[in-house]
């Protein structure tokens, strides 16, 4: 297995400097990750704590690891020293735990709040009421930096549905964050172009670069 280098380079060109490309490397081997690293990629995304830790311990330490999967509170402590951005903060309880654990270490972790925008019940995320509550209590979370929002659209061929969901996420983002330093993480292999049109500043792309996962 190796990376699709042409696709990767054209993606980078297409996204330019305004949109951060996070290469989603879950299930991918150290070798293919290094292959992409050698092309200059530094932002990588992982979904599982154990897998991220195993990779982070042996791969170059200028890699910026993004955690994008559902995070259990009891694993927060392990992951904090290794992760650049936790994109999937999907409950107040999890935020409280991250804030607590971050208080014990020197560095302030950066976070995104994951918003539920899809039709599927199975996807994680906060609703707008929960988001409002967190924002209103923002001053209590002084050990972390809440940088913006993340969301995953419905898995569908219906472009209108996806576009509506991204538009909604963008509008929520604009209520609480500024475009100058806020991060809006939306868009994956199948829908990143739509996401960018709707104002995404960070896309999370796996299969387009690495090929389909098993
Ligand atoms: C796996 C995953 C991705 C990447 O998906 P692709 O379709 O392979 O690009 C992006 N975001 C999240 C949250 C994921 O779990």
């Amino acid at each position: 297995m190796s990376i699709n280098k042409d696709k990767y380079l054209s993606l980078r060109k297409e996204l330019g400097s305004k949109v951060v490309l996070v290469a989603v490397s879950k299930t991918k081997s150290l070798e293919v990750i290094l292959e992409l690293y050698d092309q200059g990629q530094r932002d990588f995304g992982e979904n599982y704590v154990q897998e991220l830790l195993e990779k982070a311990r042996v791969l170059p330490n200028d890699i910026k690891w993004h955690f994008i999967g559902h995070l259990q509170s009891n694993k927060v402590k392990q992951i904090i020293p290794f992760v650049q951005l936790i994109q999937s903060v999907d409950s107040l309880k999890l935020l409280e735990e991250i804030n607590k654990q971050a208080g014990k270490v020197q560095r302030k972790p950066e976070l995104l709040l994951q918003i539920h925008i899809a039709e599927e019940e199975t996807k994680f995320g906060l609703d707008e009421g929960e988001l409002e509550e967190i924002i209103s209590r923002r001053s209590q979370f002084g050990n972390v930096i809440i940088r913006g929002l993340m969301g995953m659209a419905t898995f569908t061929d219906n472009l209108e549905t996806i576009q509506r969901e991204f538009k909604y996420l963008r509008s929520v983002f604009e209520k609480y964050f500024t475009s100058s330093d806020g991060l809006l993480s939306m868009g994956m292999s199948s829908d990143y172009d739509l996401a960018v049109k709707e104002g995404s500043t960070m896309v999370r792309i796996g299969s387009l670069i690495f090929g389909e996962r098993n």
Side-chain angles (χ1 to χ4, degrees):
M1 283 298 288
S2 83
I3 60 166
N4 186 339
K5 187 176 153 187
D6 291 343
K7 186 72 218 177
Y8 172 68
L9 293 177
S10 71
L11 250 179
R12 282 212 2 205
K13 207 165 173 186
E14 186 183 342
L15 295 171
S17 58
K18 289 218 177 81
V19 180
V20 178
L21 170 59
V22 177
V24 176
S25 51
K26 61 186 174 211
T27 78
K28 299 300 166 183
S29 70
L30 300 176
E31 288 71 22
V32 285
I33 294 174
L34 277 174
E35 204 185 316
L36 195 62
Y37 178 92
D38 288 338
Q39 295 299 320
Q41 182 66 24
R42 291 296 179 270
D43 290 274
F44 288 87
E46 289 284 339
N47 286 58
Y48 306 100
V49 170
Q50 203 52 42
E51 189 177 346
L52 185 149
L53 295 177
E54 283 168 17
K55 289 173 174 174
R57 285 189 181 113
V58 295
L59 286 166
N61 60 18
D62 61 343
I63 287 182
K64 297 176 195 159
W65 293 102
H66 297 242
F67 193 79
I68 63 172
H70 177 60
L71 180 57
Q72 290 168 293
S73 292
N74 63 1
K75 304 215 167 132
V76 167
K77 190 179 169 180
Q78 284 177 283
I79 206 170
I80 281 181
F82 295 96
V83 81
Q84 170 83 17
L85 183 66
I86 301 175
Q87 296 204 12
S88 43
V89 179
D90 57 9
S91 72
L92 177 58
K93 179 172 158 274
L94 176 61
L95 176 60
E96 286 169 337
E97 178 63 15
I98 298 172
N99 188 62
K100 178 177 154 203
Q101 294 299 337
K104 302 176 183 171
V105 297
Q106 288 296 330
R107 94 191 231 261
K108 270 193 181 185
E110 300 200 356
L111 315 176
L112 302 182
L113 302 171
Q114 181 174 353
I115 308 300
H116 189 274
I117 58 171
E119 285 166 356
E120 296 111 334
E121 285 293 331
T122 50
K123 285 187 176 145
F124 291 100
L126 305 159
D127 62 33
E128 220 187 323
E130 293 168 313
L131 173 64
E132 254 172 49
E133 186 182 349
I134 287 175
I135 298 285
S136 70
R137 294 170 56 180
R138 219 171 175 172
S139 58
Q140 294 171 23
F141 308 115
N143 301 325
V144 300
I145 301 170
I146 301 174
R147 289 291 308 273
L149 303 180
M150 186 270 257
M152 282 170 92
T154 303
F155 185 70
T156 174
D157 292 333
N158 187 333
L159 298 183
E160 277 167 36
T161 298
I162 299 171
Q163 188 177 32
R164 175 166 26 87
E165 292 168 354
F166 285 153
K167 262 193 208 308
Y168 167 72
L169 186 58
R170 165 87 185 269
S171 72
V172 176
F173 173 77
E174 286 184 339
K175 261 197 209 171
Y176 302 106
F177 299 90
T178 59
S179 322
S180 58
D181 70 340
L183 294 174
L184 178 57
S185 174
M186 59 184 194
M188 320 186 356
S189 291
S190 57
D191 57 20
Y192 77 90
D193 44 351
L194 257 180
V196 169
K197 272 192 208 124
E198 296 302 332
S200 170
T201 67
M202 181 174 269
V203 295
R204 309 174 310 272
I205 296 188
S207 41
L208 264 189
I209 300 172
F210 291 108
E212 293 298 328
R213 288 177 296 275
N214 303 325

